[in-house]
Amino acid sequence: MTVPRPEAWLRVVPGGLWCEPGGFFIDPTRPVERAVITHGHSDHARPGNRHVLATAGTLAIMRARFGDELGAAQALDYGATMTIGDVRVSLHPAGHVLGSAQVRLEHRGTRVVVSGDYKRRPDPTCAGFEPLPCDVFVTEATFALPVFRHPPADQEIDKLLRSVALYPERAHVVGVYALGKCQRVIALLRRAGHDGPIYLHGALATLCELYEAHGVALGPLVPATGAAKDDLKGKIVLAPPGATHDRWARRLPDPVTALASGWMRVRQRARQRGVELPLIISDHADWDELNQTVDEVGAPEIWVTHGREEALIHHVARRGIRARALSLTGFEEEGDA
Ligand SMILES: [Zn+2]
Ligand SMILES: [Zn+2]
């Protein structure tokens, strides 16, 4: 019996990455009968599927966002195995956000790992990435250029706290993506000893509560809406990146505008967005970590999804690893970086 090539049973079709012998899509870009979801970011998790398999954390995030539009949900614990059709499926921590998972597929002895989005730095708000040996490793490439080397997140948090100490008359408004970045920045601030109240834009409250309900302690959080302008002097206010420059921000006393994102490595982007205090804090692997991960999983073959595919493909090919671009569409790079 010949073993079918993985591209014969796992391939990109309209709607996304389709696993034929299992009859399911992974992170489909339109509603499907059966979906396996890596994590709750809106370009990976969408409403309207009939059946959804994910970790309990991801399902809770999807339920909070989609309500009844979530579909029939089934939770699978990290490390537990389930057989769907002719495929053994298991989920393993990806270290990206709460509930984020790599999907491990095994079909007729061939192991494919679809990593979704991932990072390698420790994150107090989610389980750490586990490298899984496999025959094909499917990786993102958001920051797959040698210029992207993220500094230690603690160093960036210190930068923020130093600025807060320097300008006690000003508020610091930090743009953070609502799912993951927000809670990670809060947890990092707590770890750095900042134990006073942190103010939140209303759009961030639900997911912070959800994290706390999943055992991630975030300390005192206060709604920024309704707080007196004077009370916000010398305080840290978190808001979605789009809100830091809009009408909402006018309530803040002479705000220092910060943004927490891997893209802040690119000074021009920080300038374009009017960011006074760029904080390079990313929930994605940087260039070194992408290559380190490829080495650790030991796969002879790599498939690259969204981001800068060419550089990574070229780089691993020089080490004798077969690599190709999957050309998946529908994934944004800006939002959750
Ligand atoms: Zn993501
Ligand atoms: Zn993504």
Side-chain angles (χ1 to χ4, degrees):
M1 190 180 76
T2 56
V3 176
R5 291 278 315 148
E7 58 263 40
W9 57 270
L10 181 66
R11 58 182 195 275
V12 177
V13 300
L17 188 58
W18 161 243
C19 177
E20 190 171 297
F24 58 82
F25 283 81
I26 298 174
D27 293 351
T29 53
R30 64 180 190 206
V32 298
E33 181 66 26
R34 202 168 280 279
V36 177
I37 303 295
T38 60
H39 67 286
H41 280 143
S42 54
D43 51 336
H44 294 258
R46 297 167 197 255
N49 300 298
R50 291 262 288 210
H51 300 269
V52 176
L53 182 75
T55 64
T58 295
L59 291 175
I61 291 161
M62 293 176 75
R63 201 169 283 119
R65 290 189 152 175
F66 309 145
D68 291 342
E69 293 290 285
L70 167 59
Q74 186 175 4
L76 189 62
D77 288 339
Y78 288 134
T81 299
M82 192 179 151
T83 301
I84 308 176
D86 198 12
V87 184
R88 282 161 58 85
V89 179
S90 54
L91 304 177
H92 306 265
H96 180 56
V97 297
L98 180 78
S100 64
Q102 311 175 66
V103 183
R104 183 187 184 278
L105 307 169
E106 189 173 339
H107 174 60
R108 298 224 223 153
T110 302
R111 302 155 305 168
V112 179
V113 171
V114 180
S115 58
D117 291 342
Y118 65 95
K119 72 171 173 292
R120 303 301 307 271
R121 309 287 170 98
D123 176 342
T125 69
C126 66
F129 181 93
E130 278 173 20
L132 304 167
C134 53
D135 302 297
V136 177
F137 183 61
V138 183
T139 181
E140 56 139 322
T142 307
F143 290 115
L145 284 177
V147 65
F148 291 112
R149 289 189 162 97
H150 308 322
D154 289 334
Q155 183 182 309
E156 301 299 288
I157 291 293
D158 285 348
K159 209 158 78 179
L160 171 60
L161 290 174
R162 275 200 307 274
S163 180
V164 170
L166 202 60
Y167 300 109
E169 295 298 307
R170 303 177 71 183
H172 280 66
V173 60
V174 185
V176 289
Y177 196 70
L179 169 57
K181 191 65 59 66
C182 171
Q183 298 77 23
R184 184 175 175 215
V185 165
I186 295 169
L188 289 169
L189 283 165
R190 298 310 187 198
R191 208 168 60 179
H194 184 82
D195 44 19
I198 294 172
Y199 290 78
L200 293 185
H201 183 284
L204 304 177
T206 309
L207 284 168
C208 286
E209 284 162 24
L210 189 149
Y211 266 64
E212 294 227 281
H214 281 77
V216 180
L218 298 175
L221 305 175
V222 180
T225 311
K229 205 166 189 169
D230 271 354
D231 290 348
L232 296 173
K233 288 181 175 172
K235 297 297 193 299
I236 295 171
V237 183
L238 303 185
T244 57
H245 284 92
D246 73 7
R247 276 173 52 89
W248 174 86
R250 287 188 209 154
R251 76 190 63 219
L252 308 175
D254 189 19
V256 176
T257 306
L259 179 61
S261 165
W263 295 115
M264 291 298 97
R265 176 70 181 76
V266 185
R267 279 170 193 284
Q268 199 187 347
R269 288 214 193 199
R271 258 201 314 274
Q272 276 165 1
R273 301 190 62 160
V275 176
E276 213 175 319
L277 183 64
L279 303 172
I280 310 168
I281 300 176
S282 175
D283 284 327
H284 293 265
D286 69 7
W287 173 249
D288 291 329
E289 290 156 352
L290 288 167
N291 283 287
Q292 171 201 344
T293 306
V294 167
D295 286 341
E296 285 179 13
V297 299
E301 184 168 338
I302 306 291
W303 298 352
V304 185
T305 61
H306 51 309
R308 273 141 208 80
E309 296 95 327
E310 299 80 11
L312 189 61
I313 287 171
H314 183 74
H315 197 73
V316 303
R318 287 200 312 203
R319 310 210 298 272
I321 297 168
R322 215 174 95 107
R324 68 184 183 99
L326 266 193
S327 308
L328 274 172
T329 53
F331 294 90
E332 348 156 341
E333 56 173 37
E334 276 291 340
D336 66 351

